[in-house]
Amino acid sequence: MNNTFLIGDIHGCFEDFQQLLNQMPIQENDKLILLGDLCSKGPDGIALLHWVINQHHVESIIGNHDLLLLHDLLVKPKFNSSAWLEQLKTAKQFDEMIDWLRSQSFMQQLDQHHCLVHAGLFCDWDDATLSEIEHHSSTLINPKFIKKHYEVMLDHLSPSQSDPHFWINVLVNIRYIDQHTKHLLQDFNAPEHRTHPESIPWFEAPTAYHQDLNVYFGHWSLLNKIQYGRFWCLDGGCVYGNQLIGLKLDDHTIYSVPSSIQKD
Ligand SMILES: [Mn+2]
């Protein structure tokens, strides 16, 4: 049987990524799926993109930083530094890198029990809604939608089953919701330091999607555990000097390497 392996937010830490791969027993027919935020912040996003586009068995989920990068490349430069964008645009295989990034998805339900996403899911989405969002969101990676998204995203923080801007806010950015109104809240802190008294982490709310669905996500490096019941956070904060985390899906074996980046 082929195995699936996951790795959390790499943020250009290519050297640490190679170290982690050395530890993971990935065979030729296995699949490796990265949980997004491949570049930005870290030292070598270009080497990472080069590596992934030249593999056949590697996919990624779109993270908030990947979407910001697509904005800058497909719409107009705004969020990333011009020096980094210039370096990327003049890199070998630039076109292939962008095509590859554009062809990735915001979420993947691998089967009944495994759903992959960068930031998280919204508790009121039922199974049918999840399938619809998985299907529909893949059509949203285009310049027109991405441009609009960054103009209006802050007006789309209230729950909606049918609003693509709310979907994307959830999939790439969610951390906390208001436990009464279920609005998305802007707060980066760990749960013990949350700023809003009514807030709960998105994965602590009772869910409309089925109870057997395990959700694997990244994005929240300040969480201090990997496993919260059926929710698994693989963002080890590598780019902040902590660790890079991988997981073998069938038996939940965890792999990790310490970051080569000095903590502030
Ligand atoms: Mn992120």
Side-chain angles (χ1 to χ4, degrees), residues 115 120-130 161 174 177 182 200-215 228-231:
C115 182
L121 299 178
F122 187 62
C123 57
D124 284 354
W125 290 343
D126 59 16
D127 294 324
T129 305
L130 279 192
Q161 300 282 99
I174 195 170
I177 60 170
K182 299 183 182 173
I200 50 169
W202 64 269
F203 48 82
E204 284 183 7
T207 67
Y209 47 90
H210 66 278
Q211 298 297 313
D212 299 333
L213 188 67
N214 287 288
V215 184
Y228 295 81
R230 61 197 172 104
F231 301 93

Side-chain angles (χ1 to χ4, degrees), residues 48-56 92-94 96-98 100-101:
L48 177 65
L49 285 176
H50 258 144
W51 188 90
V52 294
I53 63 166
N54 291 299
Q55 309 292 319
H56 296 294
K92 248 192 265 174
Q93 294 184 287
F94 168 70
E96 287 99 317
M97 291 180 198
I98 300 318
W100 181 86
L101 206 53

Side-chain angles (χ1 to χ4, degrees), residues 9 11 36-37 63-65 118-119 172-173 175 218-220 235:
D9 306 37
H11 276 300
D37 283 1
N64 52 319
H65 286 279
H118 176 66
V172 308
N173 276 321
R175 287 192 183 89
H219 186 59
W220 200 346
D235 183 359

Side-chain angles (χ1 to χ4, degrees), residues 6 35 113-117 214-218 232 247 249 252:
L6 310 178
L35 294 183
H113 301 290
H114 303 96
C115 182
L116 317 182
V117 66
N214 287 288
V215 184
Y216 304 84
F217 63 102
W232 300 77
L247 173 142
L249 202 61
H252 288 127

Side-chain angles (χ1 to χ4, degrees), residues 29-48:
N29 293 318
D30 292 343
K31 196 186 264 189
L32 172 62
I33 307 179
L34 311 174
L35 294 183
D37 283 1
L38 304 188
C39 303
S40 307
K41 300 185 183 175
D44 215 345
I46 291 174
L48 177 65

